[in-house]
Amino acid sequence: MKRINSSNIKAHNRSLIIIMLLKESISRIEIAARTGLTRAAVSLIVHSLMEEGIVRETTKLKSVNGRRATLLEIVKDHWYAGCVDISREDVVVGIADLCGSVLVGEVKSLRAFESPDQVMADCIETLKRMEKDIPRDGRLLGVGITTPGPVDPLQGVIIKPVRFSAWHGYNVRCLIQNSYACPVAIENNELGRAFAENFYGFGRKSDSFAVLTSQYGIGCSAILQHRGYRPPNGISVGIGHSTIDTNGERCECGNIGCLELYALPEIMVRNARKEDASITSWSVLSQRAAAGDTFCRSLIQKEARYLVSALIGLVNLFALECIILSGDFCVHSDYLAACIETEVNERVINKDRMRIHVQASDINGDIRVLGAASALFNELLIDHET
């Protein structure tokens, strides 16, 4: 983690105010009351945000502590992000605004392209076509790109994700940067989703939380005090290749007994079909578990134990308040969420002092587009302060 200094504190306060205003229009007085900041400090931050065109005053007044106060709001119809989310199977291209509304989005299979260069060239062509949908007074703030990790966000290079060899060492920023005279932010998919939850989802209610995702792999990223956690070198790895069985098989990543060898939804389904051929998908498995099927419930309970085995160290280390499920884990998720919540609260060290909540993401709109957009917004609006 970064050492706490005045720059980090300023960025934290700035992020708190942006997240509050993304949720609702409020006054400077209310911001000061909720954050504990002085009114002078709030005024300085708000003034900076207004100069940047991120925040504006509304025409509405509200009575606060007997005083008439002007409300503030995010400038929704002015700032937009070009979005590219790359997975192991396909790529999503879209445009989203600062308030989390997806203007347009398209999905394309990677099998339609012969190389990463072709993929990125098509993404550029698609984005330029989509720009026509931005309102006349709108502005493309930049382009956010999310990819399987690990990725080097400073250099814009995909490192060596498992089952993604064609992209190893590929610079995803290069072609985009040459085509757009605007900032380009690169992040791994999981941290992009965590930023989206921080801006638009349940994360707004928690200072520190983790997002657990299943999409062609198992990923997890943490938000601490409303800011994304990165190691000192900026390269996040996740938990999918954490060992949960020291006597397990060797994974293709080189590690032993990795979480993904046991807890990937497709692996759970494959094992379930050995006993019941009618369980043809994760959706079927989780739906039947939610309906009370004993066999399916036993499998979901096992899945929860696997996931918590990889998560518990993160929960204990960072004192997380919440775990948000995303991707495939959101499908008929009530029983899985309940099992994870029970398991993690039984195993957390300070169980007498903290209670961790587990819930499925409630974000409206394409989470993949919003993850890429949030990577850009986070870098330009929050991280640039440090």
Side-chain angles (χ1 to χ4, degrees):
M1 291 177 63
K2 294 180 181 178
R3 184 175 297 171
I4 295 175
N5 55 38
S6 59
S7 294
N8 287 333
I9 292 171
K10 183 179 178 181
H12 170 64
N13 294 336
R14 178 185 169 99
S15 68
L16 278 180
I17 292 173
I18 290 173
I19 289 165
M20 283 182 180
L21 291 172
L22 283 169
K23 186 176 181 180
E24 61 179 322
S25 296
I26 54 178
S27 69
R28 293 172 178 83
I29 297 173
E30 288 175 298
I31 291 172
R34 294 186 194 184
T35 61
L37 297 171
T38 65
R39 293 185 185 179
V42 170
S43 292
L44 282 173
I45 296 172
V46 168
H47 179 72
S48 172
L49 293 172
M50 291 180 70
E51 282 193 329
E52 295 173 49
I54 299 165
V55 170
R56 64 188 171 199
E57 293 182 336
T58 72
T59 57
K60 299 177 181 178
L61 297 175
K62 183 178 181 180
S63 179
V64 181
N65 297 330
R67 297 177 57 187
R68 300 290 285 174
T70 302
L71 299 185
L72 303 166
E73 66 180 6
I74 294 291
V75 181
K76 177 180 180 180
D77 50 359
H78 186 54
W79 300 110
Y80 292 84
C83 311
V84 177
D85 178 83
I86 305 166
S87 77
R88 291 177 173 83
E89 299 290 335
D90 54 30
V91 57
V92 174
V93 183
I95 302 281
D97 69 27
L98 182 54
C99 286
S101 296
V102 176
L103 197 63
V104 61
E106 289 184 18
V107 183
K108 301 185 182 188
S109 172
L110 292 186
R111 291 192 294 272
F113 306 97
E114 295 181 358
S115 68
D117 276 345
Q118 284 191 2
V119 174
M120 298 311 297
D122 187 82
C123 289
I124 292 167
E125 180 181 334
T126 303
L127 281 174
K128 289 188 177 297
R129 169 169 49 82
M130 289 178 170
E131 279 187 79
K132 298 175 183 177
D133 293 319
I134 295 177
R136 180 177 299 177
D137 294 332
R139 174 188 165 191
L140 190 72
L141 192 60
V143 178
I145 304 173
T146 46
T147 83
V151 59
D152 184 337
L154 298 178
Q155 301 299 320
V157 174
I158 298 174
I159 302 178
K160 287 187 177 180
V162 175
R163 301 186 302 280
F164 207 54
S165 58
W167 293 76
H168 286 182
Y170 184 77
N171 191 314
V172 288
R173 175 182 284 127
C174 188
L175 289 180
I176 296 278
Q177 195 78 75
N178 290 339
S179 300
Y180 281 90
C182 60
V184 179
I186 314 295
E187 257 323 333
N188 68 66
N189 306 105
E190 288 79 26
L191 193 50
R193 287 180 183 238
F195 288 143
E197 293 291 345
N198 194 35
F199 288 144
Y200 312 118
F202 280 123
R204 293 179 297 184
K205 302 175 182 178
S206 301
D207 287 336
S208 300
F209 62 91
V211 177
L212 182 64
T213 305
S214 174
Q215 182 195 354
Y216 313 117
I218 296 175
C220 181
S221 282
I223 299 290
L224 308 179
Q225 296 298 309
H226 285 294
R227 304 197 63 215
Y229 171 75
R230 294 187 185 88
N233 63 3
I235 300 170
S236 300
V237 177
I239 66 167
H241 295 282
S242 299
T243 296
I244 63 168
D245 183 358
T246 56
N247 298 312
E249 299 178 9
R250 187 169 296 278
C251 178
E252 58 188 302
C253 75
N255 196 13
I256 294 173
C258 290
L259 175 67
E260 288 193 1
L261 294 177
Y262 305 90
L264 275 175
E266 54 262 40
I267 290 178
M268 295 297 294
V269 171
R270 187 189 312 153
N271 291 335
R273 294 194 69 184
K274 295 175 183 178
E275 302 291 331
D276 186 342
S278 67
I279 302 174
T280 55
S281 68
W282 177 255
S283 177
V284 171
L285 173 59
S286 53
Q287 185 175 27
R288 283 172 54 174
D293 182 285
T294 303
F295 175 61
C296 291
R297 286 201 162 198
S298 69
L299 294 175
I300 294 296
Q301 290 164 10
K302 181 183 292 186
E303 174 78 351
R305 288 194 296 273
Y306 288 150
L307 294 172
V308 173
S309 293
L311 274 171
I312 194 65
L314 193 68
V315 172
N316 285 327
L317 182 63
F318 294 127
L320 300 179
E321 302 167 11
C322 177
I323 297 168
I324 301 172
L325 306 182
S326 186
D328 290 339
F329 290 143
C330 281
V331 178
H332 304 295
S333 60
D334 286 353
Y335 190 67
L336 176 62
C339 289
I340 294 175
E341 184 167 312
T342 297
E343 186 77 13
V344 76
N345 282 294
E346 286 178 353
R347 296 174 62 174
V348 69
I349 290 175
N350 294 319
K351 60 172 63 70
D352 58 331
R353 292 179 176 267
M354 58 189 296
R355 175 80 185 174
I356 298 94
H357 300 285
V358 180
Q359 54 206 22
S361 173
D362 69 340
I363 286 182
N364 293 319
D366 191 323
I367 184 61
R368 294 177 61 183
V369 172
L370 290 178
S374 299
L376 176 75
F377 295 146
N378 184 81
E379 180 168 307
L380 296 184
L381 305 183
I382 296 175
D383 274 358
H384 86 295
E385 290 289 312
T386 59

